[in-house]
Amino acid sequence: MVVFTTRSGAVRGRPAERAPLVTAVLGIPYAAPPFGPHRFREPRPVRAWGGVRPCLGFGPVAPQSAELPGAPGWQPGDEDILTVNVWTPGGPGDSLPVLVWIHGGAFAFGSSAQPDFDGAALAGLGMVVVSCNYRLGFEGFGHVPGAIPTARDGGEGAAVDVDRCPDNRGLLDQIAALEWVRDNSAAFGGDADRVTVAGQSAGATSIACLMAVDRARGLFRRAVLHSAVNSCATAESAARTTEEVAAAAGVAATREALLAAPPQLLVAASEAVVEACRRNPAAGRRHHDPAIFGPVVDGTLLHADPLTAARTGSPAAKDVELLVCRTTEEYTLFEAVGSSADIGTEALLGTFARDFGLSVALVRGYRDRAAGASVRETYLAIQGDLFFAEYSDRLAEAHARAGGTVFLARFDRGSGGSPARPVRAWHCADVPFAFGTLDDESVHFLIGGPPGDADRELAGRMMRSWADFAACGDPGWRKLVAGPGAGADVHHWRTRGEAGGRGPSPERAESGAARRALWRDAGLPLLTP
């Protein structure tokens, strides 16, 4: 029996299935259940326990409707959702780098229990890997109007504080998880001074937000951002979303009514709002991207969106070293799973451009650059760059211009997998490679079928780069140089048979440079849910 002692009590783990020399300690509470009197509030400290707590399986996931392959779903009544998972090859007295994973999922679904996020293989490379659950959807990012009374500790008759429910409860959960890592990683053999936080999609944007939050300063030294999404709510847009969700739930958009609404009602109401946007071409931007939640620039925790903060040189981010990666066909995944708008005519493409304030010249540039592409393919290319690729590149470049250290990469795998299925370097396809979880059947859709030897070799290189970056800040290629010529410093993740497995082909390099030039001329709109 392997026992570790945290500040809240002793926990017992088990040998990890993917790496027997690694111990997995799963479902450790890092904060109290955020329901009942604690609902819509900042995370509260977990109550200490006596004896040894068995931590052999993942904790419950946050309220959501998603049922993801190989992962548990949420059930009404599941409340102890703020948990972390630890995979470690060491123990007390070691001083291993720590990598903390924050999952994505449009700020509305997903969990640390997804099979592609299993940390055992990464931990086997000599680091402590931690993942966490955090509040999602309305529970994590919904605006709750007004103030709520809270009795101070002291029992009946105690004084009463009146304060607001913070908008960014999901971000506050992530900060609490990182504070838990700071306070407890040594018990698992980790070095609290060498913490790297990594995330993909909404997880990457969460980290970009944390880099702009003074309260998170010093909690991590390095950050890995894969496919950060261009989405950050304003106070006004968050309030409007609350009105819509409350109306769909049949309750008033008031503090009291929202507190009285059970989580499953707000989950269902949020899904109804999303579906209404998806079905309504007149819904504007939300018709194309019906994600309705995200971090809120509330002026309290988050004072600016991540890109603006990076451009102005946020003091909290100044010393954080970055590894930024994105895929080369981001939005094709959304068409494959049926969540992309059906844009198949020039008229609909024009409407899409107007909805997002994109210039005619930008759209024409994409059409001219790929003359044989269909309207739908053009739409997917623009949408992928608008939401992920150009946004990620600009985050990296802004951090470099502000004096930060940045390493830039592209996931551009175009072959491998099963001959009967297409291989696309689309959104999420890079994650199983970075975690070394290619053989889990649940990820085969993402990677184009069961992996081959070339895929496993690519995964080994990606895992090694993450481990080296977490250990010493060097993923294996030159850092980004701000200004002209920065593209020469981009590392390309491809199998060995594809252009040597390191750099892009001249055609791909020329295409990427042309697309970047279009956005430099047109400007990138910052998007709100």
Side-chain angles (χ1 to χ4, degrees):
M1 181 173 70
V2 183
V3 175
F4 304 89
T5 303
T6 74
R7 291 194 177 187
S8 299
V11 294
R12 173 167 61 92
R14 58 170 173 79
E17 294 177 5
R18 298 177 191 272
L21 297 181
V22 170
T23 301
V25 193
L26 310 177
I28 310 170
Y30 69 84
F35 296 98
H38 298 165
R39 193 178 181 202
F40 301 149
R41 303 303 307 277
E42 289 201 18
R44 302 294 183 92
V46 66
R47 183 174 297 176
W49 57 85
V52 178
R53 184 183 187 119
C55 292
L56 310 177
F58 293 105
V61 307
Q64 59 187 278
S65 62
E67 296 182 1
L68 301 175
W74 177 73
Q75 299 295 326
D78 288 348
E79 296 194 345
D80 201 1
I81 61 173
L82 300 183
T83 60
V84 294
N85 315 294
V86 180
W87 290 266
T88 178
D94 292 324
S95 186
L96 302 172
V98 181
L99 185 137
V100 181
W101 174 254
I102 297 177
H103 71 81
F107 302 101
F109 63 89
S111 78
S112 61
Q114 292 171 232
D116 38 338
F117 306 153
D118 188 296
L122 274 174
L125 296 180
M127 59 182 169
V128 176
V129 177
V130 182
S131 62
C132 68
N133 286 346
Y134 57 97
R135 281 173 283 184
L136 302 166
F138 198 93
E139 299 294 324
F141 297 95
H143 172 69
V144 180
I148 63 173
T150 58
R152 296 193 185 111
D153 292 339
E156 292 185 6
V160 173
D161 288 337
V162 177
D163 52 10
R164 295 185 179 276
C165 300
D167 287 337
N168 290 300
R169 298 177 293 279
L171 294 183
L172 289 167
D173 292 345
Q174 295 166 11
I175 292 172
L178 288 166
E179 290 172 338
W180 184 94
V181 169
R182 177 196 61 197
D183 297 339
N184 294 282
S185 58
F188 300 89
D191 181 354
D193 292 326
R194 284 196 296 166
V195 174
T196 297
V197 61
Q200 186 263 353
S201 195
T205 298
S206 292
I207 297 166
C209 288
L210 296 181
M211 290 176 62
V213 172
D214 287 339
R215 192 161 159 181
R217 190 172 187 174
L219 292 176
F220 52 96
R221 184 172 176 178
R222 302 182 178 101
V224 179
L225 311 183
H226 275 227
S227 301
V229 58
N230 180 2
S231 181
C232 205
T234 64
E236 294 75 19
S237 69
R240 184 170 61 251
T241 296
T242 292
E243 295 280 351
E244 294 170 331
V245 172
V251 303
T254 64
R255 175 194 70 233
E256 295 82 4
L258 292 167
L259 281 167
Q264 58 266 36
L265 178 60
L266 297 185
V267 168
S270 300
E271 288 292 320
V273 173
V274 166
E275 188 58 26
C277 293
R278 197 187 309 278
R279 292 177 177 275
N280 180 14
R285 293 182 176 184
R286 280 188 170 180
H287 174 61
H288 303 276
D289 179 58
I292 62 173
F293 295 111
V296 183
V297 181
D298 59 356
T300 302
L301 184 74
L302 190 60
H303 293 274
D305 69 89
L307 185 53
T308 298
R311 285 169 173 164
T312 56
S314 167
K318 181 171 63 73
D319 298 324
V320 176
E321 299 170 352
L322 277 184
L323 195 168
V324 178
C325 183
R326 46 91 166 176
T327 71
T328 54
E329 300 177 88
E330 292 277 3
Y331 220 78
T332 52
L333 172 69
F334 299 90
E335 182 192 36
V337 299
S339 63
S340 171
D342 184 12
I343 305 300
T345 68
E346 294 286 357
L348 290 174
L349 185 64
T351 299
F352 154 71
R354 289 190 294 274
D355 286 341
F356 284 91
L358 305 178
S359 69
V360 173
L362 183 136
V363 176
R364 185 185 303 118
Y366 271 79
R367 299 293 277 149
D368 292 344
R369 183 185 57 81
S374 67
V375 170
R376 181 171 286 103
E377 288 169 336
T378 301
Y379 166 71
L380 295 173
I382 296 175
Q383 189 80 318
D385 289 350
L386 171 65
F387 274 87
F388 300 105
E390 183 65 19
Y391 184 73
S392 292
D393 288 346
R394 291 193 181 205
L395 275 176
E397 291 164 355
H399 192 64
R401 290 192 187 102
T405 297
V406 184
F407 298 90
L408 198 57
R410 304 276 186 275
F411 184 80
D412 195 20
R413 168 180 173 261
S415 67
S418 169
R421 299 177 66 177
V423 171
R424 307 301 296 264
W426 58 24
H427 197 62
C428 298
D430 49 341
V431 175
F433 286 86
F435 274 88
T437 52
L438 301 180
D439 288 302
D440 195 291
E441 189 175 353
S442 67
V443 308
H444 289 175
F445 169 75
L446 289 176
I447 67 173
D453 290 341
D455 299 320
R456 294 189 179 91
E457 191 275 337
L458 172 59
R461 283 186 282 127
M462 289 186 68
M463 292 166 63
R464 185 75 262 169
S465 76
W466 273 28
D468 289 346
F469 181 68
C472 62
D474 183 3
W477 60 90
R478 290 187 303 160
K479 69 179 181 180
L480 181 68
V481 177
D489 302 308
V490 180
H491 183 85
H492 287 256
W493 290 118
R494 312 180 78 190
T495 57
R496 287 293 189 196
E498 299 177 272
R502 183 175 179 89
S505 66
E507 294 81 7
R508 287 176 182 265
E510 181 181 354
S511 173
R515 285 162 73 161
R516 299 275 348 252
L518 292 173
W519 288 102
R520 278 195 296 273
D521 294 339
L524 178 73
L526 295 178
L527 307 181
T528 59

